[in-house]
Every structure is written in C-alpha cells, then in structure tokens.
C-alpha cells in the first residue's frame, strides 16, 4: 500500500472527455511507446490537444509503408531537424503540429466512439498561441472544443 497524504479538496473529479468534433486541432506530442504486435513492432503515440483537456492516441506500424510515411510526415510537419533519420521516438516529444481529427464509430457497438487522427499538418505560425490559453492538462469547458471551420485555429479570430 502506498501512503499518499494528499489533500484533494478543491480538485474536481473528471469522468472522461467528450469527443472533439471533427476538424483541425493544435496538438503536441506528449508520449510514445514502442510495442510488439501480431504483425510486428508499432509505435503508440499520445497527443495533447493544446488548450483542451483531451488526449488522442495514434498507432503507427514499423513494418508497413503507409505507417512509415505517416511517421515521416509527423516528424516533418512537427519540425524535427532531420525527419529522414529518427533514432528515438522521444525526439518528437514536445513538438507541435495540427492534427485532423475524425470520429471513429465501432461497428460492433461494443466500444464508445473515439477521436482518430487522419492527418498531420504543420502549424502555420507557432507564435499565434496566446499566453492565456491553458495547457492541455488543465480542464476546459466542452463548449470551447470547436473545430477549425475557417482554416484558422479557434484563437486566431
């Protein structure tokens, strides 16, 4: 048993995250892990949606061309200095890009719908992020989660 001794007064419990509507979102690579699957190794990525409490996960196989193209695209648009030569997935941690999200529906009905990344794009201008936008780990209202309908991020009014 671990003795925490933490006072959680004033901390709100959170039951989960609402799905984000389909659209483009400013994201940061938060974490990655290489795992072994039935068809070979793959990378499981975790992305923070900047300014939202949401996180989105993505998987890229290391044994097929399409996933390797997605990996190079991510490295390129996120600004990795040498996207042709990645030595460690951690080289991408903290880098930012735009992710295009869609909603994936489970045809079996066994699982809830979830956000899925369909593509990666470069940030148009990294300096547009205002200082008063909370980091992704700070809870934001679900109403604030709006997709980019005009080709601009929500803070680019």
């Amino acid at each position: 048993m671990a003795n925490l001794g933490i006072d959680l007064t004033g901390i709100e419990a959170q039951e989960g995250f609402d799905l984000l509507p389909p659209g483009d979102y400013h994201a940061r690579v938060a974490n990655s892990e290489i795992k072994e699957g039935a068809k070979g190794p793959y990378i499981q990525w975790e992305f923070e949606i900047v300014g939202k409490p949401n996180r989105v996960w993505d998987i890229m196989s290391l044994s097929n061309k399409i996933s390797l193209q997605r990996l190079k695209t991510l490295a390129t648009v996120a600004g990795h200095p040498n996207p042709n030569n990645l030595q460690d997935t951690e080289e991408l941690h903290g880098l930012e890009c735009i992710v295009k999200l869609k909603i994936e529906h489970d045809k079996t009905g066994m699982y809830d719908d979830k956000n899925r990344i369909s593509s990666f794009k470069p940030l148009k201008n990294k300096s547009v992020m205002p200082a008063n936008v909370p980091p992704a780990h700070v809870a934001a209202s679900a109403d604030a989660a709006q997709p980019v309908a005009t080709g601009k991020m929500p803070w680019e009014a």
Side-chain angles (χ1 to χ4, degrees), residues 19 104-106 109-114:
L19 286 176
E104 184 176 278
H105 304 283
D106 176 36
M110 292 178 57
Y111 302 102
D112 290 338
D113 292 347
K114 60 183 170 184

Side-chain angles (χ1 to χ4, degrees), residues 35-107:
K35 296 183 173 186
E36 190 64 38
K39 296 181 180 181
Y42 65 92
I43 305 168
Q44 181 170 324
W45 296 99
E46 179 182 353
F47 293 85
E48 298 173 336
I49 302 301
V50 175
K52 310 282 181 249
N54 301 69
R55 296 201 176 235
V56 180
W57 289 264
D58 193 56
I59 293 175
M60 293 178 192
S61 171
L62 292 173
S63 54
N64 77 55
K65 185 176 179 179
I66 293 172
S67 287
L68 294 175
Q69 288 173 325
R70 290 185 78 234
L71 176 58
K72 185 170 181 178
T73 300
L74 172 60
T76 301
V77 302
H80 187 278
N82 187 357
N84 289 322
N85 189 11
L86 296 174
Q87 298 300 309
D88 193 316
T89 59
E90 288 188 14
E91 294 172 22
L92 300 179
H93 292 187
L95 297 183
E96 299 177 358
C97 65
I98 300 295
V99 294
K100 183 173 194 71
L101 296 182
K102 64 180 183 176
I103 296 176
E104 184 176 278
H105 304 283
D106 176 36
K107 293 179 177 113

Side-chain angles (χ1 to χ4, degrees), residues 6-12:
I6 297 174
D7 181 6
L8 298 175
T9 304
I11 304 296
E12 292 185 37

